[in-house]
Amino acid sequence: MEEKERYDVFIIGSGPAALFAAMRLERRGVRSIAVADRNSYPAGGLLNDGKLNFDPRVGIDPAELKIGSEETTRLMNEIKKDLEGFPHMRQVTVPEGNETIDVIRRIAAEHGVQFIAPEQWHWGTDRGKAAVDYLRGFLKNTSFLLKTEVSSLRKESSGEFTLLCDHRGRRLTCCARVVLAAPGRSGAYWFRDAARKLGAENNFGPIDVGIRLELNRTLYDSITDSVYDPKFIFKTDRHRDKVRTFCTNPGGRVRLENYGAFKLVNGDALGRRKTDNTNFALINTVALTEPLSDTTEFGQMIARQFHLLGGGSPIVQRVGDFREGRRSSPATFESRIRHFDFCRSTCKAVPGDITLGMPARIIDNLWESLKKLDKIVPGILHPSTLMYAPEIKFFDTHFPTGSDLETSVPGLFVAGDGTGKSRGIVGAAISGIIAARGIVAKYFS
Ligand SMILES: Cc1cc2nc3c(=O)[nH]c(=O)nc-3n(C[C@H](O)[C@H](O)[C@H](O)COP(=O)(O)OP(=O)(O)OC[C@H]3O[C@@H](n4cnc5c(N)ncnc54)[C@H](O)[C@@H]3O)c2cc1C
């Protein structure tokens, strides 16, 4: 007979959604928990930057999680409490009593732009491992199955789940009464297929498509000195679309995310060492209806186009070249005469023309928003400012659930970014806590 490892709760993934869920399951007395991750270190996106937004308007959709504002704030305070003993957590935005925030909000409003300054904490990519080790320290009874990729799951007639895994190159079979899927964005499409085979309903959510700006930090310090990761939200005049700034990294670096068939841009910052630049994303929310509702296909089409145009790399264009309607080229990329040397790129992307790969509507929206932002923070559209593309956030797989985050398949719960329940570390952690609460209430009380 085939040997199986047995758990009460099997968690797929080891990012913030998974770790916070495991912590709550342990605290509520669940004895046998497995956290499985295909990577060798249990962290998911906790190793990335570690900017925590404690604001119900950012990175979380309370309506999706079916929680009110009081409950959202209470859960955010719980997470802060869990993290307050971590020595490298630094509060980087203190909204209370900050007069500069009121001034920025007023100037933004004059241009029809909404400005949000959330309470923010940061530890930096270089301290990500320490943060994960700190959180893992809370977990006493959880088994970590690392280098373990879950390849499929099925539901037995007994109601139990069987999970087939590749564990360090050999086959491992596990079974569990309850499965919590928190596969993040990198595992979203695998899980979508696996869950469909079980009969779990899902639909397509919107995606965010845009660019990452990198500029000499002196041009944006007047804002980021007060608000580490400022959120400007635009409604464009021409198309009435939503565009927003996202994931600002003062003194940070632009990074590439490798998705195999293409690469996307992103950004982070270290806690100890800073660059001369600041970067942030400017993204356009895209929802589709008929005849194409598949936002995944749409986003991948754009990503593949850039992959082709950039010879396998994302594309970068100087604002000075963009204004002139010409591509950036290696020959003039650092031109002193054009003041391009004012901002040295922190990332290897191919100089080119971003308008070749992006739909016109999105380019219109981004440029209109940038011009407004340049009125609020004059100077950001310096000729040296870099525009990298594509930056795409695939938050497109969405599972309809009740308030406990159980899917239409009994015993199968979901949490985190890969299932449409969050868009950031704090939101992912909150969804993990809610799922853990639901699991205990329904299956272990
Ligand atoms: C460069 C970068 C910077 C970022 N900076 C920030 C930031 O500053 N602040 C912020 O709030 N957010 C940031 N994010 C986003 C943040 O990382 C995510 O929002 C968050 O990690 C989502 O948590 P999660 O638990 O849903 O999934 P994840 O953290 O993505 O974890 C999912 C895990 O599941 C594993 N997995 C997937 N499929 C399988 C499978 N089949 N079998 C086994 N394991 C599997 C993956 O290996 C992964 O480790 C950043 C992201 C990137 C890429």
Side-chain angles (χ1 to χ4, degrees), residues 138-409:
F138 288 107
L139 294 168
K140 306 292 177 213
N141 302 318
T142 298
S143 306
F144 281 91
L145 305 177
L146 301 174
K147 286 196 176 172
T148 304
E149 177 152 20
V150 183
S151 53
S152 66
L153 52 163
R154 64 171 187 263
K155 193 151 181 167
E156 309 296 348
S157 50
S158 62
E160 249 191 4
F161 291 91
T162 300
L163 299 106
L164 300 182
C165 312
D166 180 317
H167 174 64
R168 298 172 192 268
R170 69 178 176 84
R171 189 182 149 125
L172 172 72
T173 306
C174 297
C175 54
R177 194 166 164 203
V178 172
V179 170
L180 169 58
R185 279 185 277 147
S186 67
Y189 302 136
W190 162 77
F191 179 67
R192 187 157 84 187
D193 290 343
R196 270 185 195 154
K197 286 180 191 145
L198 286 178
E201 293 157 19
N202 80 276
N203 47 37
F204 295 103
I207 55 170
D208 291 315
V209 182
I211 56 177
R212 186 158 286 260
L213 271 281
E214 182 171 44
L215 66 167
N216 184 301
R217 65 174 298 169
T218 56
L219 299 172
Y220 212 45
D221 278 349
S222 58
I223 302 288
T224 54
D225 283 351
S226 295
V227 184
Y228 187 87
D229 179 12
K231 313 286 182 190
F232 289 97
I233 302 166
F234 310 83
K235 179 105 178 181
T236 61
D237 295 332
R238 174 133 192 229
H239 299 291
R240 310 303 298 155
D241 285 338
K242 183 181 167 186
V243 172
R244 64 196 167 98
T245 61
F246 177 82
C247 185
T248 306
N249 299 294
R253 324 169 286 185
V254 175
R255 300 256 311 263
L256 299 185
E257 282 180 79
N258 195 340
Y259 280 76
F262 49 78
K263 294 192 185 96
L264 301 177
V265 283
N266 210 315
D268 74 350
L270 301 176
R272 280 174 282 231
R273 218 176 51 247
K274 301 292 177 190
T275 68
D276 293 334
N277 294 349
T278 289
N279 67 73
F280 62 89
L282 186 73
I283 46 184
N284 183 163
T285 304
V286 180
L288 300 174
T289 52
E290 285 173 2
L292 178 73
S293 63
D294 187 338
T295 34
T296 311
E297 190 53 43
F298 179 75
Q300 291 190 350
M301 184 183 73
I302 294 172
R304 284 197 297 267
Q305 196 145 290
F306 274 100
H307 188 78
L308 193 68
L309 289 165
S313 270
I315 286 181
V316 57
Q317 188 171 17
R318 295 275 183 193
V319 162
D321 288 325
F322 180 91
R323 280 189 193 278
E324 300 285 325
R326 68 173 165 236
R327 66 164 288 184
S328 287
S329 71
T332 56
F333 198 65
E334 306 293 347
S335 167
R336 246 189 105 203
I337 293 171
R338 294 182 185 167
H339 301 297
F340 288 173
D341 58 342
F342 189 50
C343 176
R344 302 261 179 213
S345 165
T346 59
C347 171
K348 244 185 158 26
V350 171
D353 187 339
I354 62 166
T355 64
L356 275 179
M358 200 66 91
R361 178 172 178 149
I362 296 178
I363 287 284
D364 281 353
N365 285 334
L366 298 176
W367 188 241
E368 186 187 318
S369 304
L370 275 176
K371 284 195 289 188
K372 275 190 191 153
L373 189 59
D374 190 55
K375 286 186 180 151
I376 301 166
V377 196
I380 60 145
L381 288 183
H382 187 272
S384 65
T385 295
L386 295 158
M387 300 190 286
Y388 298 84
E391 170 127 0
I392 304 180
K393 300 296 179 211
F394 285 100
F395 298 110
D396 45 349
T397 306
H398 171 256
F399 286 85
T401 53
S403 58
D404 52 6
L405 303 192
E406 190 174 30
T407 64
S408 53
V409 175

Side-chain angles (χ1 to χ4, degrees), residues 24-40:
R24 292 309 182 276
L25 288 168
E26 277 202 13
R27 282 180 202 171
R28 286 163 188 251
V30 179
R31 284 184 197 289
S32 154
I33 305 160
V35 166
D37 204 295
R38 58 184 169 209
N39 292 328
S40 53

Side-chain angles (χ1 to χ4, degrees), residues 105-113:
R105 192 177 290 124
R106 220 173 30 245
I107 299 172
E110 281 167 16
H111 297 282
V113 178

